[in-house]
Amino acid sequence: MQLLLGQTLGFGADPFETPHDEAAKHQSHGAVLIDGGRIAATGTASDLIARYPRADRTDYGDKLIMAGFVDAHVHYPQTAIIASWGKRLIDWLNSYTFPEEMRFGDPSYARATADTYLDLVLANGTTTVASYCTIHPASVDAFFDAAEKRGMAAIAGKTCMDRNAPEGLMDTPASAYDDSKALLQRWHEKGRARYAITPRFSPTSTAEQLEAMGALWAEHPDCLMQTHLSEQTDEVAWVKSLYPQARDYLDTYETHGLLGARGVYGHAIYLEAREKDRLREAGAGLVHCPTSNTFIGSGIFDMAGLIAAGQRVGLATDTGGGSSFSMLRTMAAAYEVAQLRGVALHPSALLWLATEGSARSLQIADRVGTLAPGSEADFITLDLGSTPAIAQRSTQAANIWEAVFPTIMMGDDRAVTGVWVMGERKG
Ligand code: GUN
Ligand code: ZN
């Protein structure tokens, strides 16, 4: 048994529903007990030291111990094209993304990129991601292998596209079904791996392909299904022209069996009233990707409105449309985007979104994203004074929220001083 001492921060409730000082559980002299790769107990340092005197004890001083970040929407194959200049969504896909994704026809390139990507996110304190792969089945194997090697919980799926993509980057309805099925049989619930059926988005799938993905999901309802929804106005208009019968963008998924509680929809900026109703009724997950939405010029997500209306929302980098691997930077961008809608998200809400909120959007909050006893021991330590600029601000802090907010707004991988995966230190 290991006993880690430090400041601890967890949540007993959702800070969007419960006042933040009741929802958050902060101990300035706290402790986390790890046993067999799981969190066994949390509490005050003095209490846990008294109860577990023989545990192997490490004192992290005033470092903040909290759950590892959960990044609910990423494209690991876009690692090498992050920060590519000057395009909006469709041009960005055609100019940068698709050419790069072609390179994943080479399994050794996929393996090297998966390693690079997971090392980067771990260094940034992200312990779980949900990733799109490419159309190549080997890109999925590469990713799950790399996650398994690090002991990480990972969600991923083969990205399916059968139109409006370059030759060499398209499958068919039948091959998408067969390949996805073989991959999910190989990976879903193998150790910490979970499979997500992954039609990229309606513009790159025919109705036949969406139908095939819906059929596969109906046969494997315990898998997630991840896709993109209403990210840019041009994209929404394109979907309308490709699917003239559809009531709206979501309807292109809904009529093909691709709406459900285990559905995870990236971006969701331009939603019509019917779409919001159906997403809420289905209990689907919406994923906000703020650095992507500003970088690609997509628009201003309505975090407060959607959550108040009962939507389940997670937070994500959307690497490489997003401009960062860091969930700290992503929280900062979420704060700024919400400010543009006149809402100041509290630091507790931002930290909750980056951990438990994202885990809930992926239906894995019973395992990761919290410090709750019984959950898998994926957690980090943060230095709340990691740079001179942050330190001079946080020393003025009157409480934990003022102490942590400068790190949310200005922090990066230098703030992440320790990363544990299933109770094992990784960085
Ligand atoms: N829509 C369809 N594919 C993508 C992608 O790779 N990135 C983003 N941001 N949006 C998409
Ligand atoms: Zn995406």
Side-chain angles (χ1 to χ4, degrees), residues 127-146:
T127 46
T128 296
V129 302
S131 187
Y132 289 60
C133 301
T134 64
I135 69 144
H136 313 97
S139 75
V140 181
D141 292 328
F143 185 75
F144 279 128
D145 277 337

PDB file of all heavy atoms in Angstrom, residues 127-146:
ATOM      1  N   THR A 127      -4.270  11.051 -18.508  1.00  0.00           N
ATOM      2  CA  THR A 127      -4.074   9.615 -18.301  1.00  0.00           C
ATOM      3  C   THR A 127      -5.047   8.762 -19.119  1.00  0.00           C
ATOM      4  O   THR A 127      -4.837   7.564 -19.251  1.00  0.00           O
ATOM      5  CB  THR A 127      -4.181   9.278 -16.805  1.00  0.00           C
ATOM      6  OG1 THR A 127      -5.329   9.939 -16.264  1.00  0.00           O
ATOM      7  CG2 THR A 127      -2.943   9.751 -16.052  1.00  0.00           C
ATOM      8  N   THR A 128      -6.095   9.379 -19.646  1.00  0.00           N
ATOM      9  CA  THR A 128      -7.014   8.642 -20.529  1.00  0.00           C
ATOM     10  C   THR A 128      -7.410   9.527 -21.703  1.00  0.00           C
ATOM     11  O   THR A 128      -7.720  10.701 -21.503  1.00  0.00           O
ATOM     12  CB  THR A 128      -8.312   8.241 -19.785  1.00  0.00           C
ATOM     13  OG1 THR A 128      -7.978   7.340 -18.735  1.00  0.00           O
ATOM     14  CG2 THR A 128      -9.294   7.533 -20.719  1.00  0.00           C
ATOM     15  N   VAL A 129      -7.415   8.943 -22.900  1.00  0.00           N
ATOM     16  CA  VAL A 129      -7.914   9.676 -24.071  1.00  0.00           C
ATOM     17  C   VAL A 129      -8.893   8.795 -24.843  1.00  0.00           C
ATOM     18  O   VAL A 129      -8.838   7.563 -24.764  1.00  0.00           O
ATOM     19  CB  VAL A 129      -6.782  10.113 -25.043  1.00  0.00           C
ATOM     20  CG1 VAL A 129      -5.761  10.980 -24.326  1.00  0.00           C
ATOM     21  CG2 VAL A 129      -6.111   8.932 -25.699  1.00  0.00           C
ATOM     22  N   ALA A 130      -9.766   9.466 -25.590  1.00  0.00           N
ATOM     23  CA  ALA A 130     -10.615   8.786 -26.582  1.00  0.00           C
ATOM     24  C   ALA A 130     -10.149   9.276 -27.937  1.00  0.00           C
ATOM     25  O   ALA A 130     -10.308  10.458 -28.258  1.00  0.00           O
ATOM     26  CB  ALA A 130     -12.077   9.126 -26.358  1.00  0.00           C
ATOM     27  N   SER A 131      -9.542   8.384 -28.711  1.00  0.00           N
ATOM     28  CA  SER A 131      -8.914   8.815 -29.965  1.00  0.00           C
ATOM     29  C   SER A 131      -9.571   8.225 -31.203  1.00  0.00           C
ATOM     30  O   SER A 131      -9.958   7.058 -31.228  1.00  0.00           O
ATOM     31  CB  SER A 131      -7.430   8.426 -29.983  1.00  0.00           C
ATOM     32  OG  SER A 131      -6.802   8.984 -31.130  1.00  0.00           O
ATOM     33  N   TYR A 132      -9.619   9.048 -32.229  1.00  0.00           N
ATOM     34  CA  TYR A 132      -9.865   8.556 -33.582  1.00  0.00           C
ATOM     35  C   TYR A 132      -8.531   8.007 -34.076  1.00  0.00           C
ATOM     36  O   TYR A 132      -7.461   8.539 -33.732  1.00  0.00           O
ATOM     37  CB  TYR A 132     -10.299   9.710 -34.495  1.00  0.00           C
ATOM     38  CG  TYR A 132     -11.688  10.241 -34.197  1.00  0.00           C
ATOM     39  CD1 TYR A 132     -12.000  10.782 -32.954  1.00  0.00           C
ATOM     40  CD2 TYR A 132     -12.681  10.197 -35.162  1.00  0.00           C
ATOM     41  CE1 TYR A 132     -13.277  11.265 -32.681  1.00  0.00           C
ATOM     42  CE2 TYR A 132     -13.964  10.681 -34.900  1.00  0.00           C
ATOM     43  CZ  TYR A 132     -14.256  11.207 -33.657  1.00  0.00           C
ATOM     44  OH  TYR A 132     -15.518  11.680 -33.399  1.00  0.00           O
ATOM     45  N   CYS A 133      -8.596   6.977 -34.906  1.00  0.00           N
ATOM     46  CA  CYS A 133      -7.389   6.488 -35.571  1.00  0.00           C
ATOM     47  C   CYS A 133      -7.521   6.866 -37.040  1.00  0.00           C
ATOM     48  O   CYS A 133      -8.099   7.911 -37.341  1.00  0.00           O
ATOM     49  CB  CYS A 133      -7.243   4.985 -35.310  1.00  0.00           C
ATOM     50  SG  CYS A 133      -7.138   4.621 -33.520  1.00  0.00           S
ATOM     51  N   THR A 134      -6.988   6.107 -37.972  1.00  0.00           N
ATOM     52  CA  THR A 134      -7.220   6.388 -39.396  1.00  0.00           C
ATOM     53  C   THR A 134      -8.041   5.234 -39.967  1.00  0.00           C
ATOM     54  O   THR A 134      -8.487   4.358 -39.217  1.00  0.00           O
ATOM     55  CB  THR A 134      -5.891   6.528 -40.174  1.00  0.00           C
ATOM     56  OG1 THR A 134      -5.215   5.262 -40.142  1.00  0.00           O
ATOM     57  CG2 THR A 134      -5.009   7.616 -39.576  1.00  0.00           C
ATOM     58  N   ILE A 135      -8.230   5.232 -41.269  1.00  0.00           N
ATOM     59  CA  ILE A 135      -9.024   4.119 -41.821  1.00  0.00           C
ATOM     60  C   ILE A 135      -8.254   2.789 -41.748  1.00  0.00           C
ATOM     61  O   ILE A 135      -8.839   1.726 -41.933  1.00  0.00           O
ATOM     62  CB  ILE A 135      -9.476   4.353 -43.290  1.00  0.00           C
ATOM     63  CG1 ILE A 135      -8.303   4.310 -44.245  1.00  0.00           C
ATOM     64  CG2 ILE A 135     -10.304   5.585 -43.457  1.00  0.00           C
ATOM     65  CD1 ILE A 135      -8.711   3.678 -45.559  1.00  0.00           C
ATOM     66  N   HIS A 136      -6.958   2.863 -41.466  1.00  0.00           N
ATOM     67  CA  HIS A 136      -6.132   1.651 -41.488  1.00  0.00           C
ATOM     68  C   HIS A 136      -6.277   0.881 -40.176  1.00  0.00           C
ATOM     69  O   HIS A 136      -5.939   1.408 -39.111  1.00  0.00           O
ATOM     70  CB  HIS A 136      -4.666   2.032 -41.689  1.00  0.00           C
ATOM     71  CG  HIS A 136      -4.463   3.016 -42.801  1.00  0.00           C
ATOM     72  ND1 HIS A 136      -4.353   4.382 -42.585  1.00  0.00           N
ATOM     73  CD2 HIS A 136      -4.385   2.827 -44.145  1.00  0.00           C
ATOM     74  CE1 HIS A 136      -4.198   5.002 -43.754  1.00  0.00           C
ATOM     75  NE2 HIS A 136      -4.216   4.071 -44.710  1.00  0.00           N
ATOM     76  N   PRO A 137      -6.716  -0.368 -40.234  1.00  0.00           N
ATOM     77  CA  PRO A 137      -6.840  -1.141 -38.993  1.00  0.00           C
ATOM     78  C   PRO A 137      -5.545  -1.171 -38.180  1.00  0.00           C
ATOM     79  O   PRO A 137      -5.580  -1.137 -36.943  1.00  0.00           O
ATOM     80  CB  PRO A 137      -7.236  -2.545 -39.477  1.00  0.00           C
ATOM     81  CG  PRO A 137      -7.976  -2.289 -40.759  1.00  0.00           C
ATOM     82  CD  PRO A 137      -7.256  -1.117 -41.399  1.00  0.00           C
ATOM     83  N   ALA A 138      -4.398  -1.194 -38.842  1.00  0.00           N
ATOM     84  CA  ALA A 138      -3.129  -1.248 -38.093  1.00  0.00           C
ATOM     85  C   ALA A 138      -2.911   0.002 -37.254  1.00  0.00           C
ATOM     86  O   ALA A 138      -2.177  -0.023 -36.259  1.00  0.00           O
ATOM     87  CB  ALA A 138      -1.954  -1.456 -39.060  1.00  0.00           C
ATOM     88  N   SER A 139      -3.567   1.113 -37.632  1.00  0.00           N
ATOM     89  CA  SER A 139      -3.423   2.337 -36.825  1.00  0.00           C
ATOM     90  C   SER A 139      -4.140   2.182 -35.485  1.00  0.00           C
ATOM     91  O   SER A 139      -3.782   2.835 -34.511  1.00  0.00           O
ATOM     92  CB  SER A 139      -3.973   3.558 -37.579  1.00  0.00           C
ATOM     93  OG  SER A 139      -5.390   3.558 -37.592  1.00  0.00           O
ATOM     94  N   VAL A 140      -5.158   1.324 -35.467  1.00  0.00           N
ATOM     95  CA  VAL A 140      -5.893   1.054 -34.223  1.00  0.00           C
ATOM     96  C   VAL A 140      -5.059   0.121 -33.340  1.00  0.00           C
ATOM     97  O   VAL A 140      -4.892   0.367 -32.134  1.00  0.00           O
ATOM     98  CB  VAL A 140      -7.270   0.434 -34.532  1.00  0.00           C
ATOM     99  CG1 VAL A 140      -8.040   0.175 -33.240  1.00  0.00           C
ATOM    100  CG2 VAL A 140      -8.062   1.328 -35.474  1.00  0.00           C
ATOM    101  N   ASP A 141      -4.519  -0.920 -33.956  1.00  0.00           N
ATOM    102  CA  ASP A 141      -3.648  -1.830 -33.191  1.00  0.00           C
ATOM    103  C   ASP A 141      -2.469  -1.062 -32.590  1.00  0.00           C
ATOM    104  O   ASP A 141      -2.105  -1.273 -31.433  1.00  0.00           O
ATOM    105  CB  ASP A 141      -3.119  -2.948 -34.100  1.00  0.00           C
ATOM    106  CG  ASP A 141      -4.224  -3.903 -34.555  1.00  0.00           C
ATOM    107  OD1 ASP A 141      -5.184  -4.112 -33.786  1.00  0.00           O
ATOM    108  OD2 ASP A 141      -4.120  -4.429 -35.677  1.00  0.00           O
ATOM    109  N   ALA A 142      -1.894  -0.173 -33.391  1.00  0.00           N
ATOM    110  CA  ALA A 142      -0.722   0.590 -32.917  1.00  0.00           C
ATOM    111  C   ALA A 142      -1.081   1.407 -31.688  1.00  0.00           C
ATOM    112  O   ALA A 142      -0.324   1.471 -30.715  1.00  0.00           O
ATOM    113  CB  ALA A 142      -0.216   1.513 -34.030  1.00  0.00           C
ATOM    114  N   PHE A 143      -2.250   2.020 -31.727  1.00  0.00           N
ATOM    115  CA  PHE A 143      -2.646   2.888 -30.623  1.00  0.00           C
ATOM    116  C   PHE A 143      -2.936   2.083 -29.348  1.00  0.00           C
ATOM    117  O   PHE A 143      -2.442   2.406 -28.265  1.00  0.00           O
ATOM    118  CB  PHE A 143      -3.865   3.719 -31.026  1.00  0.00           C
ATOM    119  CG  PHE A 143      -4.230   4.715 -29.976  1.00  0.00           C
ATOM    120  CD1 PHE A 143      -3.466   5.857 -29.804  1.00  0.00           C
ATOM    121  CD2 PHE A 143      -5.318   4.509 -29.151  1.00  0.00           C
ATOM    122  CE1 PHE A 143      -3.782   6.784 -28.813  1.00  0.00           C
ATOM    123  CE2 PHE A 143      -5.635   5.428 -28.162  1.00  0.00           C
ATOM    124  CZ  PHE A 143      -4.871   6.563 -27.993  1.00  0.00           C
ATOM    125  N   PHE A 144      -3.737   1.029 -29.500  1.00  0.00           N
ATOM    126  CA  PHE A 144      -4.059   0.229 -28.312  1.00  0.00           C
ATOM    127  C   PHE A 144      -2.809  -0.453 -27.748  1.00  0.00           C
ATOM    128  O   PHE A 144      -2.660  -0.576 -26.533  1.00  0.00           O
ATOM    129  CB  PHE A 144      -5.140  -0.807 -28.628  1.00  0.00           C
ATOM    130  CG  PHE A 144      -6.546  -0.255 -28.613  1.00  0.00           C
ATOM    131  CD1 PHE A 144      -7.391  -0.463 -29.695  1.00  0.00           C
ATOM    132  CD2 PHE A 144      -7.032   0.437 -27.510  1.00  0.00           C
ATOM    133  CE1 PHE A 144      -8.700   0.015 -29.673  1.00  0.00           C
ATOM    134  CE2 PHE A 144      -8.338   0.924 -27.481  1.00  0.00           C
ATOM    135  CZ  PHE A 144      -9.171   0.708 -28.568  1.00  0.00           C
ATOM    136  N   ASP A 145      -1.928  -0.899 -28.629  1.00  0.00           N
ATOM    137  CA  ASP A 145      -0.670  -1.506 -28.150  1.00  0.00           C
ATOM    138  C   ASP A 145       0.132  -0.494 -27.327  1.00  0.00           C
ATOM    139  O   ASP A 145       0.664  -0.826 -26.269  1.00  0.00           O
ATOM    140  CB  ASP A 145       0.199  -1.961 -29.338  1.00  0.00           C
ATOM    141  CG  ASP A 145      -0.200  -3.335 -29.866  1.00  0.00           C
ATOM    142  OD1 ASP A 145      -0.804  -4.111 -29.103  1.00  0.00           O
ATOM    143  OD2 ASP A 145       0.099  -3.619 -31.046  1.00  0.00           O
ATOM    144  N   ALA A 146       0.226   0.733 -27.851  1.00  0.00           N
ATOM    145  CA  ALA A 146       1.020   1.767 -27.167  1.00  0.00           C
ATOM    146  C   ALA A 146       0.395   2.121 -25.818  1.00  0.00           C
ATOM    147  O   ALA A 146       1.107   2.348 -24.830  1.00  0.00           O
ATOM    148  CB  ALA A 146       1.133   3.009 -28.056  1.00  0.00           C
TER     149      ALA A 146
END
